[in-house]
Amino acid sequence: MSIDLAFDRQHIWHPYTSMIDPLPVYPVVAAEGCELILENSQRLVDGTASWWSAVHGYRHPVLDQAVTDQLSQMAHVMFGGITHPQAVTLCQQLLAITPPALNKVFLADSGSIAVEVAIKMALQCWQGIGHRQKTELISLRKGYHGDTFAAMAVCDPVDSMHSMFSKLLPQHHFLPAPDSPYHSEFRPESLKPLQQLLQQRHQHIAALILEPIVQGYGGMRFYHPDYLAGCRALCDEFEVLLIADEIATGFGRTGSLFACEKAKITADILCLGKALTGGYMTMAATLCTDQVALGVSQSEAGGLMHGPTFMANPLACAVANASIGLIRTGGWQAQVKAIETQLKAELAPCQASPLVKEVRVLGAIGVLEMHQAVDVAKLQQHFVGDGVWIRPFNRLIYLMPPFIISEEQISRLCWSMRRAVGV
């Protein structure tokens, strides 16, 4: 079946793209393993795992079978007043791999909605236990939490794609981005802004929301675990909830199953998504503690006021169960370690390029930060010409490949990135 690219260009809106002069798109007709297959039969090694979600690659037999088996039972059923085996099993699996204190699960239908739910949980919790004045949130500069309105309100208000909406959004508090890199010595003074803000406003602040260890769309920044541990300690001291947005970092991407493990902390509310279903279907989850759930349930509303139509979709639950089953075998640990080792070795020469500001690697994440914003269309054409799929943005060229990627495929990705920066 031929893809009508002229129709696509004229009528279909792609993410973050103008309809006046849209970026070019490439027609994918199939995918398998770690490769995308174009209409002209060209194969591209996928360096982004479909925005970090397809950790097991494409057409994985276990995941394919899970969807097929569930389809023979039911594709969807509402979750209001109904439960089903796949949802119960999924929640059991999530509780088995997350910290014991997180034992209530809300199954959402996208990462951005998981953040919306987390914010609702935090605000409603304080309402329920009589602290109605706690309505403010704290976030970090360079942070990104999604494209819906409550999520946008806790994204960096200036240096982000949402700055044009800043006057329309609820106004929250923003701390300086963590400035102690992951592999450097921790600067304790970097926690001073949070400490000072909490001293002044803790009676009005409901929660601090952050991406643990890795700030994603805000610049692929890796920060020191001690900063995260310090945030947890200060939230405890001043009775403020901590929301960990692990939508991008969860399920092994950083080398730990969850990035919070690197700081040995547990959030009060945890957001998961992306790799939850192995990239097969849209699904997310928001987990919280008993204390948060009790506060929410004691509020005037009497329950969490959120209920997506496709919440706990059985097909998505089934493939999420299969994906978590693969994760729980532990094979990802060796895969991610091998990816990290190879990325460090093969991206290191890029530091010699005058175009490159910094090369950094953590787990199955490799980043070239450039001095200037890149020409996305031009670079995309270069990468496709080299037989790879790498999606740069702003000043970043980065890799987040499937965990099952081969050494040869990683080398091809790194070779193309080195060519792109002239080394």
Side-chain angles (χ1 to χ4, degrees), residues 223-301:
Y223 65 86
H224 202 285
D226 285 357
Y227 180 86
L228 179 56
C231 288
R232 173 71 276 181
L234 287 168
C235 285
D236 288 340
E237 180 182 350
F238 290 97
E239 296 187 312
V240 167
L241 298 174
L242 178 63
I243 302 172
D245 178 353
E246 291 239 28
I247 291 163
T249 56
F251 303 103
R253 178 58 66 178
T254 67
S256 299
L257 185 56
F258 299 103
C260 284
E261 294 174 8
K262 294 183 177 295
K264 298 181 174 60
I265 64 107
T266 298
D268 300 293
I269 303 173
L270 174 67
C271 301
L272 302 175
K274 289 193 182 292
L276 175 60
T277 68
Y280 269 57
M281 299 189 70
T282 179
M283 190 176 209
T286 306
L287 287 74
C288 72
T289 63
D290 277 338
Q291 292 84 354
V292 171
L294 181 62
V296 169
S297 301
Q298 289 176 338
S299 66
E300 183 179 345

Side-chain angles (χ1 to χ4, degrees), residues 73-405:
Q73 302 298 317
M74 59 181 172
H76 182 62
V77 64
M78 66 184 289
F79 210 52
I82 290 172
T83 192
H84 57 83
Q86 294 291 358
V88 173
T89 300
L90 176 56
C91 292
Q92 289 171 332
Q93 290 220 76
L94 287 173
L95 295 191
I97 62 174
T98 53
L102 296 168
N103 55 18
K104 299 292 188 288
V105 186
F106 187 97
L107 297 173
D109 46 358
S110 72
S112 186
I113 299 304
V115 170
E116 298 273 336
V117 169
I119 291 171
K120 275 189 177 179
M121 282 180 176
L123 297 176
Q124 209 175 326
C125 171
W126 291 116
Q127 296 289 309
I129 60 178
H131 295 282
R132 293 179 175 271
Q133 76 283 5
K134 290 174 81 74
T135 59
E136 301 171 9
L137 301 173
I138 305 175
S139 188
L140 306 181
R141 298 277 180 180
K142 304 295 184 182
Y144 173 82
H145 299 284
D147 296 341
T148 51
F149 264 70
M152 284 196 297
V154 290
C155 295
D156 189 308
V158 177
D159 189 16
S160 79
M161 65 189 81
H162 302 316
S163 58
M164 73 183 75
F165 299 107
S166 59
K167 293 183 179 179
L168 303 174
L169 297 169
Q171 299 301 299
H172 297 301
H173 303 280
F174 287 88
L175 301 173
D179 62 357
S180 295
Y182 185 87
H183 294 103
S184 71
E185 186 176 349
F186 177 61
R187 296 177 58 255
E189 57 268 31
S190 64
L191 288 165
K192 283 290 184 184
L194 175 59
Q195 183 182 38
Q196 291 168 355
L197 178 58
L198 290 176
Q199 286 172 338
Q200 297 164 7
R201 299 291 299 173
H202 69 93
Q203 292 180 334
H204 299 274
I205 292 171
L208 164 65
I209 181 170
L210 48 69
E211 300 157 279
I213 306 300
V214 178
Q215 291 186 293
Y217 273 118
M220 294 295 175
R221 305 175 75 254
F222 310 151
Y223 65 86
H224 202 285
D226 285 357
Y227 180 86
L228 179 56
C231 288
R232 173 71 276 181
L234 287 168
C235 285
D236 288 340
E237 180 182 350
F238 290 97
E239 296 187 312
V240 167
L241 298 174
L242 178 63
I243 302 172
D245 178 353
E246 291 239 28
I247 291 163
T249 56
F251 303 103
R253 178 58 66 178
T254 67
S256 299
L257 185 56
F258 299 103
C260 284
E261 294 174 8
K262 294 183 177 295
K264 298 181 174 60
I265 64 107
T266 298
D268 300 293
I269 303 173
L270 174 67
C271 301
L272 302 175
K274 289 193 182 292
L276 175 60
T277 68
Y280 269 57
M281 299 189 70
T282 179
M283 190 176 209
T286 306
L287 287 74
C288 72
T289 63
D290 277 338
Q291 292 84 354
V292 171
L294 181 62
V296 169
S297 301
Q298 289 176 338
S299 66
E300 183 179 345
L304 182 60
M305 301 312 293
H306 208 90
T309 300
F310 290 97
M311 177 181 180
N313 170 260
L315 287 174
C317 287
V319 75
N321 279 320
S323 179
I324 294 174
L326 292 174
I327 290 288
R328 293 181 72 180
T329 65
W332 64 272
Q333 295 169 313
Q335 292 170 329
V336 170
K337 185 61 179 175
I339 292 169
E340 181 180 54
T341 299
Q342 191 173 355
L343 290 180
K344 285 180 178 178
E346 297 193 20
L347 291 180
C350 296
Q351 193 65 68
S353 169
L355 302 175
V356 176
K357 179 180 179 181
E358 185 180 25
V359 178
R360 49 185 181 266
V361 175
L362 179 65
I365 310 170
V367 182
L368 304 185
E369 181 178 347
M370 316 298 284
H371 288 288
Q372 304 292 331
V374 303
D375 183 330
V376 174
K378 183 177 179 181
L379 266 181
Q380 202 87 81
Q381 185 177 36
H382 159 82
F383 289 130
V384 170
D386 280 352
V388 299
W389 182 253
I390 299 172
R391 181 72 170 176
F393 71 97
N394 200 350
R395 294 188 296 120
L396 302 173
I397 307 173
Y398 75 94
L399 297 175
M400 278 197 180
F403 297 165
I404 65 164
I405 195 165

